[in-house]
Amino acid sequence: MKLVRVREQARSASGTPSARFALVVDDKVHRLPEHWGFADAVRALHTGRLEDAEPSASALDEWELLAPVPTPASMRDCVGFLQHIRNTRRSRGDLAPLGEVWQQRPGFYFSNPNSVHSATAAVTIPPGCQAFDFELEIAAVLGGGGRDLTAEEAEQLIAGYVLFCDWSARDFQAEERAMQIGLGKAKDAAISLGPWILSADEAAAFRRPGGLDIPVSASVNGERVTAPGTRYVGMDWSYGEIVAFASIGADLVAGDVVAAGTVPTGCLLEHSATEGFRGWLADGDVVRLNAGPLGEIVSPVVASPTRAQWRQA
């Protein structure tokens, strides 16, 4: 079972195409009540209930697929793969081993819930950015809430999984690293989500203690970026652990999105110090991320506007 958000072919009284949530079973779309919000829809995915859906169904290819998570209550992006961190540090010439704190607890930062893009929407380079990048990740979507959870309790809250692209302004990120205030504008411009949320029940066949054992790949203009044979496994922190950590001293709610971090070799930054590096993303590039049963993201990259440059002399 998958959860999607679709744009209807019929137009509302205002003449604007309306969007609504639906469950997909065997490529058939079962629309959920029109008044339902995302939290209602993701709870239906979590329980696997079709009882509240309209009895009639239609083919998936009859609908335009929108971002399955419109505006989540919150979005956290975690570091699930420490090898990704080692690779990015190496790209800056930092060969020192990771400090002990990396082994003691997960890390995450908050993403911008208002920056969500669909799996086919164009992504604009932020004004002033000269080092635009992507990150290939898979996020858990919560079907329930809780606080101060154990990893086992947190695991039970996961309703499904969605392909997640964390667009990154690397030059902004370097400045924010020097400022030591966390990630801000470096991660503010865009998040792209895959075309659907795959239910936790269907994903159970791929679940491993270290992630989801599915092939993943990233390419720019058809040129592969990820290493051959890359799969979304080998996480140092499990999904249950990162969701549980996010719940410490804070309330999680249905609809929250918790990304598990960039798979090693799944971004340009990791390759930026290698001979023959292709360079950062530019106007006209097309980024394609694929995650097998989670579908794919295909994003044209668009030049930044010339206005709104923000830097003091």
Side-chain angles (χ1 to χ4, degrees):
M1 182 180 290
K2 304 178 180 75
L3 175 64
V4 295
R5 190 165 63 102
V6 295
R7 195 188 305 276
E8 297 184 288
Q9 301 300 319
R11 292 179 177 268
S12 66
S14 66
T16 302
S18 58
R20 64 196 297 183
F21 294 100
L23 295 172
V24 179
V25 179
D26 297 328
D27 286 336
K28 293 294 183 181
V29 173
H30 302 262
R31 292 179 296 174
L32 294 169
E34 190 169 7
H35 67 277
W36 273 22
F38 179 61
D40 301 311
V42 80
R43 278 191 286 263
L45 177 72
H46 196 201
T47 60
R49 288 172 54 89
L50 280 174
E51 287 84 348
D52 294 311
E54 293 183 356
S56 60
S58 53
L60 181 61
D61 59 9
E62 295 180 14
W63 301 89
E64 177 188 359
L65 296 182
L66 306 175
V69 185
T71 306
S74 72
M75 302 182 76
R76 292 171 172 86
D77 198 352
C78 301
V79 179
F81 297 89
L82 293 184
Q83 190 57 45
H84 164 66
I85 300 299
R86 296 185 186 99
N87 291 348
T88 59
R89 287 160 63 106
R90 187 177 298 117
S91 73
R92 308 194 307 267
D94 184 352
L95 303 180
L98 295 179
E100 186 177 355
V101 67
W102 288 96
Q103 311 295 333
Q104 296 174 339
R105 47 154 282 185
F108 73 83
Y109 54 85
F110 285 100
S111 299
N112 183 354
N114 295 306
S115 68
V116 171
H117 290 53
S118 76
T120 56
V123 173
T124 301
I125 300 170
C129 175
Q130 302 298 317
F132 198 46
D133 196 2
F134 63 87
E135 297 192 14
L136 168 55
E137 310 187 30
I138 295 174
V141 183
L142 304 189
R147 185 184 183 98
D148 297 330
L149 303 168
T150 66
E152 292 72 23
E153 291 169 336
E155 188 78 39
Q156 297 305 310
L157 291 183
I158 298 174
Y161 301 89
V162 64
L163 182 58
F164 183 103
C165 181
D166 175 31
W167 300 92
S168 304
R170 299 302 190 189
D171 43 355
F172 297 174
Q173 186 174 354
E175 293 176 341
E176 289 165 349
R177 187 184 307 114
M179 297 167 79
Q180 296 185 355
I181 58 172
L183 297 176
K185 274 298 169 189
K187 303 286 186 173
D188 208 25
I191 296 287
S192 293
L193 298 178
W196 53 71
I197 302 168
L198 184 72
S199 72
D201 285 345
E202 284 200 29
F206 316 114
R207 278 301 311 272
R208 302 291 183 270
L212 293 168
D213 191 12
I214 57 175
V216 292
S217 64
S219 65
V220 180
N221 303 334
E223 177 186 349
R224 188 177 180 114
V225 175
T226 42
T230 298
R231 306 180 76 84
Y232 205 80
V233 288
M235 290 166 55
D236 295 272
W237 302 99
S238 71
Y239 278 100
E241 288 170 332
I242 61 178
V243 173
F245 179 72
S247 77
I248 295 174
D251 292 313
L252 303 182
V253 300
D256 278 349
V257 175
V258 184
T262 308
V263 67
T265 73
C267 67
L268 294 176
L269 177 60
E270 292 192 30
H271 307 273
S272 59
T274 61
E275 185 177 355
F277 174 55
R278 69 166 307 280
W280 304 106
L281 296 173
D283 183 36
D285 286 339
V286 176
V287 174
R288 181 183 298 268
L289 309 182
N290 186 283
L294 274 68
E296 66 178 11
I297 292 170
V298 182
S299 302
V301 177
V302 180
S304 62
T306 56
R307 56 185 172 82
Q309 301 290 339
W310 180 254
R311 187 173 295 276
Q312 298 292 339

